[in-house]
Amino acid sequence: MTSPSKTKHPLLWVPSSYFTMALTYNMLTAAAVVMFSNLGMDNAKAAAYASALGLAYTIKPLFAAFLEMYKTKKFFVLLSQVILGVGFVGVSLVMSLPSYISIMLVFFWILSFIGSSQDITTDGVYVTSLDSKQQALYCGWQSLSWNLGKLAMMSVMVVLSGLLHQYIFDHDPHVSGPEWTKSWQIVFGLMGVIMLGMAAWHWRVMPEGARAENTPKTPGEAIGTLMDAFVTFFQKRGIWMMIGFALLFRVSFGFLNAPSMLFMKDAVENGGLALTNQGFGIIYGTFGLIALLIGSLVGGAYVAKKGLQKALFPLCFCVNIPNVTFLLMAMYQPESHAIITAGVVLEQFFFGIGSVGFMIYLMQQLAPGKYATTHYAFGTALMGLCMMLTGMVSGLLQQKMGYVGYFVFVMAATIPSFLICWFAPFHVNHDDDTAGESATTEASA
């Protein structure tokens, strides 16, 4: 696979690359929660299965170096997108089988590792094909495109599944069960076509991606570099408190994430809000995402003005306290879409503000040193581990507690976040705390 043109404008491949990454990630880790619920899974299984698919994205720093050693970065981007395209079409076909759930989950597990490989090599193309000035210039496009991909998945695709189910196949949108299979088959088939189309596009326009200067040349070198990165990571001053920060800053959101989506979809008699896929996609996938993006910009500006050390504790309030909106909605179960939208927008806006602090802390306090990029990846992996573990048990806990009791538990789960923020070490001095803008790229992930 070689590109017919060696030099293409970054706007031809940067937006489409990160859009494609976001489609894959959000299908496997977010939209899957809605689909599992549609198909009749209980909340415990829906949350556990979808959260477990985040494992590949959590451990990707462990195998990233090995993808750097062979062929070109572009080769692996194209290969991963072709496999994803074929895989999503395969999921669509598998769903025609009588007992397809187990096979579909195996497909998802494999596709999650392919998707994380797509992320690694796409980032590699971006970093090695663009100089530092271009990286800064197109960072905004990178962030915007990723979030447009999330919007397309959580709004357009989820809404499409609901429209197909209700108006094409004439089924009740409030009833879960196998009747949803045909609608999601079409969605997966469409996802497969999009992935294959993106692979064809990137074959024409994406640069090959250069080898980084410190790229390992053998598996032994890769393992040695990774081990050295581990050793130096744990030699950092205050490392255990920083590890605690990476694990606990967003712990309440980890418990809230999947159950909040299931809550909006669940029947009124079960304590939910009984939204259709269409209503959920518009409220959560559109208005909620827009609020998140605006919040991340506000958070970046706030950190740039105040400095991270002064801003961190207020940002912790922003991440945690607005979770109370779901407790209030569970208590009163509003029927008005306007009220539900206001609650989601409020929570997502403040979460966007607060999440900026997490990424900037990793950049400025955890990452600096010989292996800054790898250590930053370790920090985000710890956050991903927290999200995966809390997500896997969240559905089961919600079933045992009910929605009101569970959202009270979520509020109690904010306490570790406040404690770790209070004691978070600041050993690297940053007088000009200007990383806020760059951190908004990651805050919405």
Side-chain angles (χ1 to χ4, degrees):
M1 295 182 181
T2 56
S3 175
S5 176
K6 293 183 178 180
T7 56
K8 294 289 185 180
H9 196 283
L11 286 181
L12 290 174
W13 58 271
V14 170
S16 57
S17 298
Y18 284 87
F19 178 87
T20 310
M21 284 170 55
L23 279 181
T24 307
Y25 177 80
N26 286 285
M27 176 67 254
L28 295 172
T29 63
V33 175
V34 179
M35 182 198 67
F36 290 148
S37 178
N38 287 158
L39 295 175
M41 283 190 188
D42 60 35
N43 286 4
K45 289 182 178 179
Y49 289 154
S51 298
L53 293 171
L55 175 64
Y57 291 90
T58 299
I59 65 172
K60 66 183 182 181
L62 300 181
F63 58 88
F66 297 94
L67 293 174
E68 300 274 355
M69 293 166 47
Y70 306 105
K71 298 289 185 179
T72 63
K73 295 176 177 64
K74 176 182 176 178
F75 172 85
F76 284 107
V77 172
L78 300 183
L79 180 63
S80 63
Q81 290 175 352
V82 168
I83 295 174
L84 287 167
V86 173
F88 282 126
V89 172
V91 171
S92 178
L93 296 175
V94 161
M95 292 179 78
S96 298
L97 299 177
S99 300
Y100 64 86
I101 294 294
S102 297
I103 301 174
M104 181 178 68
L105 290 174
V106 171
F107 266 79
F108 279 177
W109 184 257
I110 295 170
L111 292 176
S112 68
F113 280 90
I114 302 301
S116 65
S117 300
Q118 175 191 213
D119 285 14
I120 293 166
T121 50
T122 300
D123 286 337
V125 173
Y126 184 87
V127 170
T128 60
S129 299
L130 304 178
D131 59 33
S132 57
K133 182 177 180 181
Q134 288 175 313
Q135 290 176 26
L137 178 63
Y138 295 106
C139 182
W141 285 98
Q142 179 192 59
S143 176
L144 174 64
S145 302
W146 199 97
N147 285 295
L148 286 176
K150 182 178 181 180
L151 176 67
M153 189 68 251
M154 296 306 295
S155 182
V156 178
M157 292 295 196
V158 171
V159 169
L160 176 62
S161 69
L163 292 174
L164 290 169
H165 182 75
Q166 184 173 357
Y167 297 108
I168 302 301
F169 300 115
D170 295 322
H171 294 306
D172 186 342
H174 298 288
V175 177
S176 301
E179 295 81 8
W180 279 92
T181 301
K182 290 183 179 179
S183 299
W184 280 102
Q185 279 184 291
I186 293 174
V187 170
F188 281 117
L190 181 58
M191 278 284 293
V193 171
I194 292 173
M195 288 294 160
L196 293 173
M198 286 299 184
W201 173 251
H202 293 142
W203 172 73
R204 294 196 57 83
V205 302
M206 181 178 280
E208 297 292 337
R211 288 174 63 88
E213 291 182 6
N214 60 346
T215 297
K217 296 179 176 61
T218 66
E221 285 186 16
I223 294 172
T225 300
L226 183 61
M227 292 303 297
D228 191 38
F230 266 112
V231 171
T232 55
F233 181 73
F234 287 100
Q235 289 175 343
K236 289 177 180 284
R237 183 182 176 192
I239 185 59
W240 291 108
M241 290 300 294
M242 290 191 283
I243 288 174
F245 180 88
L247 281 170
L248 297 176
F249 184 77
R250 292 169 61 165
V251 65
S252 67
F253 181 73
F255 282 116
L256 178 69
N257 191 31
S260 67
M261 292 188 278
L262 294 166
F263 164 66
M264 289 188 278
K265 292 280 300 148
D266 214 342
V268 173
E269 56 267 28
N270 294 333
L273 300 181
L275 292 179
T276 63
N277 279 24
Q278 301 93 294
F280 172 85
I282 293 170
I283 292 173
Y284 185 87
T286 304
F287 289 107
L289 178 58
I290 292 172
L292 180 71
L293 294 175
I294 295 173
S296 66
L297 295 174
V298 173
Y302 177 71
V303 173
K305 181 178 180 179
K306 293 290 186 179
L308 180 61
Q309 192 162 1
K310 292 181 180 179
L312 188 60
F313 206 70
L315 293 177
C316 185
F317 272 88
C318 291
V319 166
N320 291 293
I321 298 304
N323 293 347
V324 76
T325 57
F326 281 96
L327 173 58
L328 295 174
M329 287 194 289
M331 292 170 62
Y332 296 103
Q333 292 183 276
E335 297 181 1
S336 168
H337 281 204
I339 294 175
I340 298 170
T341 302
V344 171
V345 165
L346 180 68
E347 187 270 333
Q348 289 287 288
F349 173 73
F350 281 101
F351 179 75
I353 293 175
S355 292
V356 170
F358 175 81
M359 295 302 176
I360 300 177
Y361 185 88
L362 297 191
M363 291 177 189
Q364 296 187 349
Q365 299 299 320
L366 183 67
K370 180 180 178 182
Y371 297 104
T373 301
T374 302
H375 290 172
Y376 178 79
F378 287 169
T380 58
L382 288 168
M383 181 269 290
L385 178 64
C386 171
M387 295 292 290
M388 184 185 74
L389 295 178
T390 53
M392 288 180 69
V393 300
S394 63
L396 179 61
L397 292 175
Q398 182 280 313
Q399 283 188 180
K400 291 183 177 297
M401 298 179 184
Y403 283 111
V404 174
Y406 183 75
F407 289 137
V408 170
F409 165 76
V410 169
M411 295 307 300
T414 66
I415 296 172
S417 180
F418 284 109
L419 290 175
I420 200 66
C421 280
W422 186 261
F423 293 106
F426 283 82
H427 297 310
V428 181
N429 184 35
H430 287 270
D431 295 327
D432 297 318
D433 211 339
T434 57
E437 183 177 351
S438 63
T440 60
T441 302
E442 303 285 349
S444 58

